[in-house]
Amino acid sequence: MGGALTRYRVIAWIVGVALVVLVLIGMPLKYFFDDPTVVAVVGTAHGWLYMIYLALTFDLSRRVEWPLRRMLLVMLAGTVPFVSFYAERRVSRWLAADDPAPAPEPVAG
C-alpha cells in the first residue's frame, strides 16, 4: 500500500498544481488578454494527468478497500482547484490512522 499511496500523493499534487495554473493564470490570459497558449498547453496536460490521477486513485482505493462513494469523491477532487491538495492530506490521514504497522522500537545503546 505504501507505493500506491506515494504514487497517489505525487499525482494529486501534480494535478492540483496544473489545475491551479490553468485556472489562475491560463484562464485570465485567455479571456482578458486573448492569449490561449497557457490554456492549450496546461489544459491538455491537465487532462492527461487527470486520467493518470483517476487510475492511481482507483488503484489505491481497491488496495485499501474504500467504499465506492469515498473513491468517487477523491476522484472528483482533481476537478476543483485546491481540493486535490485537501483530499491528498485527508487520504494520508485516513490511511495513517488505519495503518496497523507498529512503530519501530528504539534501539538500546
Side-chain angles (χ1 to χ4, degrees), residues 5-101:
L5 176 59
T6 301
R7 288 187 295 272
Y8 164 76
R9 292 182 72 190
V10 168
I11 196 66
W13 272 90
I14 292 170
V15 166
V17 168
L19 185 57
V20 167
V21 168
L22 179 63
V23 170
L24 297 182
I25 296 172
M27 299 301 276
L29 283 174
K30 179 178 179 178
Y31 291 109
F32 296 129
F33 300 103
D34 198 31
D35 183 6
T37 307
V38 175
V39 170
V41 173
V42 177
T44 302
H46 178 265
W48 285 103
L49 291 167
Y50 183 68
M51 295 299 125
I52 296 168
Y53 174 83
L54 291 176
L56 294 179
T57 302
F58 179 78
D59 176 51
L60 178 63
S61 71
R62 294 299 92 201
R63 289 174 190 259
V64 296
E65 300 175 355
W66 283 343
L68 180 63
R69 183 171 186 256
R70 178 178 285 183
M71 179 185 70
L72 292 175
L73 287 173
V74 173
M75 286 179 166
L76 286 174
T79 63
V80 180
F82 300 104
V83 176
S84 69
F85 305 124
Y86 173 75
E88 182 270 328
R89 293 307 311 149
R90 288 293 302 260
V91 166
S92 296
R93 287 186 188 134
W94 287 332
L95 297 181
D98 293 340
D99 188 11

